[in-house]
């Protein structure tokens, strides 16, 4: 599991690569929240282009970022979702809460 | 249903073994002519069941997880994940979407995902003695109309 982030003009892009399960999410949640606190972005983009696998631990993580962004008055967008993570997002109904493209 | 092949794994409930369990099921299921989507669904369901053992069954210790995989007649893959952990008080309620005893880092969507990705999901549990989740899915490319 790898996280790369990039802040530009108030938009924080965090790109996840690898497999996002509970094992990976434990560490990742801390890292992502640290980034949000440090950068205080207006918009957060989660780039899942290199994310090969995700289970419901990923859903919980995305919702957590979303909640934090709302508290900051900002938006969250999820993009480049691969087929397996997309099925998990669909099954969870999270698409009604967050922006996915 | 006739059993054509089976393997059983015992492993400790360390979270690093979530990935092991997904890999093991992918290897075993390679004997079936699955689509990529089916393979993804099965790996996801296993990941959910094994994660529940690591997180909920044995919250403050490491316990044993037994995963039994079976291929049954007619292209049916059966996955059984068994723990001897805490058990579930009310299985009906636990299976409901968004129900979780796990707090902020859990979403309560594990059983929902197992149910939507597998054909059947059975849960047997006793408080104090453990939980067994048995899931089945008919897989494989079949000619249309059969
Ligand atoms: N193997 C298990 N042992 C004990 N409790 C479990 C087990 N599996 C599930 N549960 C209970 O069922 C609830 C719902 O599980 P699930 O749908 O996977 O959501 P989550 O894992 O996100 O909480 C858990 O919060 C937990 O209380
Ligand atoms: Mg779960």
């Amino acid at each position: 599991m790898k996280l790369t982030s990039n802040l530009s003009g108030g938009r924080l892009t965090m790109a996840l690569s690898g497999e996002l399960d509970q094992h990976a999410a434990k560490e990742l949640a801390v890292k992502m929240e640290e980034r949000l606190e440090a950068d205080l972005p207006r918009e957060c983009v989660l780039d899942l282009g290199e994310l090969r696998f995700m289970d419901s631990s990923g859903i919980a993580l995305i919702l957590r970022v979303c909640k934090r962004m709302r508290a900051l008055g900002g938006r969250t967008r999820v993009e480049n979702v691969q087929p397996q993570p997309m099925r998990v997002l669909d099954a969870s109904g999270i698409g009604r809460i967050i922006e996915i493209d | 249903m006739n059993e054509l092949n089976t393997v059983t794994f015992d492993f400790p409930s360390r979270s690093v073994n979530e990935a092991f369990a997904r890999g093991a099921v992918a290897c075993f299921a390679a004997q079936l002519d699955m689509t990529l989507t089916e393979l993804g669904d099965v790996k996801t369901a296993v990941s959910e069941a094994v994660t529940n053992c690591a997180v909920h069954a044995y919250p403050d210790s490491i316990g044993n997880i037994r995963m039994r995989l079976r291929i049954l007649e007619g292209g049916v893959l059966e996955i059984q994940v068994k723990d001897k952990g805490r058990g579930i008080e009310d299985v009906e309620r636990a299976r409901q979407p968004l129900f979780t005893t796990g707090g902020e880092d859990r979403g309560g969507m594990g059983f929902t995902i197992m149910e939507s990705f597998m054909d059947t999901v059975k849960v047997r549990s006793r408080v104090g003695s453990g939980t067994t989740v048995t899931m089945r899915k008919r897989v494989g490319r079949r000619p249309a109309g059969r």
Side-chain angles (χ1 to χ4, degrees):
Chain A
M1 188 78 237
K2 220 180 91 196
L3 171 70
T4 45
S5 66
N6 172 48
L7 180 69
S8 130
R11 176 197 291 153
L12 175 66
T13 303
M14 292 194 275
L16 310 187
S17 72
E19 307 205 349
L20 177 46
D21 57 14
Q22 188 262 142
H23 178 73
K26 283 187 287 187
E27 234 179 278
L28 203 57
V30 176
K31 281 193 196 158
M32 290 172 82
E33 269 170 11
E34 276 171 6
R35 278 268 52 90
L36 291 175
E37 299 313 314
D39 294 344
L40 300 174
R42 266 178 283 119
E43 189 186 356
C44 175
V45 177
L46 299 176
D47 181 352
L48 306 191
E50 299 290 321
L51 192 71
R52 291 192 309 269
F53 176 87
M54 184 182 99
D55 64 17
S56 74
S57 307
I59 305 282
L61 185 64
I62 292 170
L63 285 175
R64 212 162 137 169
V65 168
C66 210
K67 235 164 111 183
R68 190 67 200 111
M69 281 306 294
R70 263 190 214 149
L72 293 174
R75 308 188 309 145
T76 307
R77 194 154 48 84
V78 178
E79 60 179 35
N80 298 323
V81 187
Q82 299 302 300
Q84 186 278 338
M86 188 55 101
R87 277 179 70 75
V88 174
L89 291 176
D90 283 342
S92 73
I94 197 183
R96 290 190 298 265
I97 307 171
I98 56 160
E99 244 179 280
I100 301 173
D101 18 72
Chain B
M1 246 185 277
N2 250 337
E3 175 186 290
L4 302 179
N5 197 7
T6 183
V7 291
T8 300
F9 299 92
D10 276 300
F11 52 92
S13 62
R14 300 185 190 286
S15 61
V16 66
N17 286 331
E18 293 154 13
F20 163 77
R22 295 194 298 275
V25 82
C27 276
F28 184 69
Q31 297 166 26
L32 291 156
D33 189 22
M34 288 171 101
T35 65
L36 262 181
T37 305
E38 287 170 337
L39 181 60
D41 286 358
V42 162
K43 285 170 72 175
T44 312
V46 164
S47 204
E48 297 296 347
V50 169
T51 298
N52 280 351
C53 300
V55 175
H56 304 297
Y58 307 113
D60 337 281
S61 59
I62 298 291
N64 187 66
I65 300 175
R66 174 164 294 175
M67 178 169 78
R68 187 188 71 186
L69 308 175
R70 299 205 295 160
I71 294 174
L72 307 175
E73 235 170 29
V76 174
L77 179 65
E78 183 188 85
I79 301 162
Q80 186 175 79
V81 176
K82 186 176 192 164
D83 66 67
K84 292 194 180 306
R86 207 175 48 175
I88 304 174
E89 219 168 278
D90 183 344
V91 170
E92 265 331 293
R93 192 176 53 153
R95 290 176 76 138
Q96 259 152 47
L98 303 177
F99 177 84
T100 182
T101 55
E104 203 196 14
D105 48 345
R106 312 294 329 143
M109 294 305 291
F111 278 126
T112 304
I113 284 171
M114 289 183 247
E115 282 166 12
S116 65
F117 287 3
M118 301 295 285
D119 296 338
T120 60
V121 177
K122 269 192 215 152
V123 183
R124 277 183 38 211
S125 190
R126 262 210 2 240
V127 173
S129 47
T131 302
T132 304
V133 175
T134 309
M135 311 181 270
R136 283 185 180 179
K137 187 180 179 71
R138 186 161 171 201
V139 296
R141 299 180 184 86
R142 280 174 294 272
R146 236 178 57 189

